[in-house]
């Protein structure tokens, strides 16, 4: 009986020894991509083979953590998370027999990821062509810039800024019809984009297309109700017809929005002069010269003041 009892105790000790030998020790370091430690990073450990196993540890002030798993013969999923950083996951197989597995992970910050994404986007066909086109424009090479803008919209038709620049080039070349087409393409992507509305309106005026003028002008007014050029341009139409009476309130309206609108000041001063309103003509032209002494009409205003 005494021998049997000793054997029974020995047999009970064997599994304990084996289990201790199967323990896995893991030590880790979590840093950013500049090797600076990340304090308070959370590491969640699970095991696909042990469904009820879950452990959470956090990094200390040195960005380090340590843990022990009872069964080091299995693989464990480590999920590393930290505020402001992109998380990582990794399968880890601990070492057994009293050895410690040392692991380290470098996390990218969200700001770093955003910067990388922006750089990558800038190299996409279309975006890259548009960037190169503006570089060429800054160098004064409009012909090559146009080629790059055309390549940009061919690759990415939604690049409305490229449509705008192509339309401006068309208008400069005297092709108002093509400019209207580009303005419409731009507005089809960016509804009520002011620059494209202005492009279409200027092209329509150059073409003398009344329907197009009305279409672009109405849209421009809705999108830019406080733009003084709207009232001023309406006034110009009456000025060209010699109708000072109808032009006058429109010029005054433009100046209510922007009292330093030089073109409106000059034209209103001339209207006052033609209507025999000498005092107002003098005041308005003097203000015009104060606001815009280098304006192309400044010599005319200076000469007119001699007679007022």
């Amino acid at each position: 009986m005494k021998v049997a009892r000793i054997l029974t105790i020995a047999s009970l000790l064997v599994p304990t020894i084996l289990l201790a030998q199967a323990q896995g020790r893991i030590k880790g370091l979590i840093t950013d991509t500049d090797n600076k430690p990340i304090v308070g990073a959370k590491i969640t450990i699970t095991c696909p083979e042990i469904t009820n196993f879950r452990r959470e540890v956090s990094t200390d002030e040195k960005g380090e953590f340590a843990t022990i798993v009872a069964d080091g013969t299995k693989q464990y999923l480590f999920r590393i998370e930290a505020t402001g950083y992109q998380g990582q996951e990794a399968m880890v197989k601990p070492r057994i027999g009293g050895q410690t597995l040392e692991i380290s992970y470098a996390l990218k910050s969200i700001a770093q990821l955003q910067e990388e994404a922006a750089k990558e986007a800038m190299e996409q066909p279309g975006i890259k062509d548009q960037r190169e086109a503006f570089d060429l424009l800054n160098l004064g090479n409009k012909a090559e810039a146009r080629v790059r803008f055309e390549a940009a919209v061919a690759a990415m038709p939604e690049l409305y800024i490229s449509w705008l620049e192509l339309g401006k080039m068309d208008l400069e070349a005297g092709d108002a019809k093509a400019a209207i087409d580009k303005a419409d393409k731009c507005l089809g992507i960016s509804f009520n984009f002011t620059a494209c509305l202005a492009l279409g309106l200027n092209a329509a005026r150059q073409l003398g297309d009344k329907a197009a003028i009305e279409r672009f002008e109405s849209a421009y007014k809705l999108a830019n109700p406080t733009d003084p050029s709207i009232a001023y341009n309406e006034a110009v139409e009456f000025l060209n017809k010699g109708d000072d009476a109808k032009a006058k309130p429109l010029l005054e309206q433009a100046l209510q929005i922007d009292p330093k609108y030089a073109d409106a000041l000059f034209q209103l001063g001339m209207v006052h002069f033609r209507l025999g309103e000498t005092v107002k003509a003098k005041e308005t032209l003097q203000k015009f010269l104060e606001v815009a002494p280098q304006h192309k009409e400044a010599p005319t205003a200076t000469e007119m003041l001699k007679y007022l």
Side-chain angles (χ1 to χ4, degrees):
M1 293 295 292
K2 190 174 182 179
V3 174
R5 185 178 297 160
I6 292 171
L7 289 174
T8 302
I9 293 171
S11 65
L12 287 172
L13 289 173
V14 171
T16 304
I17 294 170
L18 290 175
L19 187 60
Q21 289 177 337
Q23 281 185 341
R25 298 174 182 274
I26 303 164
K27 182 179 179 181
L29 172 66
I30 309 299
T31 67
D32 61 16
T33 53
D34 292 325
N35 292 321
K36 294 180 181 178
I38 298 177
V39 180
K42 184 175 77 172
I43 299 91
T44 304
I45 310 166
T46 57
C47 180
E49 297 182 58
I50 309 174
T51 56
N52 64 345
F53 178 85
R54 179 183 175 87
R55 182 172 299 163
E56 291 184 359
V57 294
S58 298
T59 55
D60 58 19
E61 68 279 359
K62 295 181 180 179
E64 297 177 345
F65 71 93
T67 189
I68 298 174
V69 293
D71 189 349
T73 65
K74 302 188 183 304
Q75 287 195 325
Y76 293 83
L77 176 63
F78 278 56
R79 177 167 181 78
I80 303 103
E81 299 172 291
T83 303
Y85 293 86
Q86 182 185 42
Q88 285 191 32
E89 286 187 350
M91 292 300 295
V92 175
K93 171 65 173 64
R95 293 175 180 172
I96 59 176
Q99 299 183 77
T100 299
L101 174 67
E102 294 188 5
I103 58 176
S104 63
Y105 297 97
L107 306 185
K108 288 185 177 181
S109 70
I110 300 302
Q112 186 177 356
L113 290 168
Q114 290 172 338
E115 183 180 350
E116 289 177 358
K119 287 181 179 178
E120 185 178 346
M122 290 299 288
E123 294 304 314
Q124 290 182 26
I127 297 291
K128 182 180 179 182
D129 293 310
Q130 181 173 268
R131 187 183 73 250
E132 291 175 350
F134 277 112
D135 289 340
L136 288 164
L137 269 186
N138 291 334
L139 293 173
N141 192 339
K142 291 185 178 181
E144 285 298 320
R146 183 180 184 91
V147 172
R148 301 316 314 151
F149 280 127
E150 288 173 344
V153 295
M156 296 182 68
E158 65 271 26
L159 292 176
Y160 60 91
I161 295 297
S162 287
W163 287 118
L164 170 64
E165 294 301 324
L166 287 168
K168 286 162 64 176
M169 290 177 181
D170 286 336
L171 192 59
E172 284 181 11
D175 193 345
K177 188 174 181 180
I180 289 175
D181 179 63
K182 303 296 193 306
D184 283 332
K185 282 185 169 64
C186 170
L187 294 168
I189 302 158
S190 182
F191 179 67
N192 276 355
F193 182 48
T194 298
C196 285
L197 287 170
L199 169 65
L201 181 55
N202 290 333
R205 285 173 175 159
Q206 189 177 107
L207 195 63
D209 186 332
K210 292 183 179 181
I213 291 172
E214 174 62 27
R215 177 165 66 89
F216 285 111
E217 196 170 64
S218 297
Y220 191 92
K221 286 179 182 179
L222 288 173
N224 305 276
T226 59
D227 188 341
S229 68
I230 297 172
Y232 175 77
N233 286 326
E234 287 184 19
V236 168
E237 292 182 15
F238 289 114
L239 290 173
N240 290 335
K241 297 175 183 177
D243 194 338
D244 286 343
K246 289 183 178 179
K248 183 180 175 182
L250 291 167
L251 292 169
E252 291 171 340
Q253 182 182 333
L255 289 169
Q256 284 178 352
I257 298 170
D258 182 1
K260 294 183 178 181
Y261 192 177
D263 289 333
L265 280 169
F266 175 74
Q267 293 298 341
L268 183 59
M270 298 303 292
V271 166
H272 283 313
F273 175 78
R274 288 192 293 270
L275 293 176
E277 300 168 349
T278 306
V279 175
K280 288 186 177 180
K282 184 176 182 178
E283 290 176 355
T284 306
L285 290 175
Q286 285 176 336
K287 185 175 182 181
F288 164 69
L289 289 173
E290 290 173 8
V291 169
Q294 303 302 318
H295 194 281
K296 64 179 182 179
E297 298 292 357
T300 302
T302 302
E303 192 65 23
M304 292 298 299
L305 286 170
K306 294 178 181 179
Y307 301 95
L308 295 175

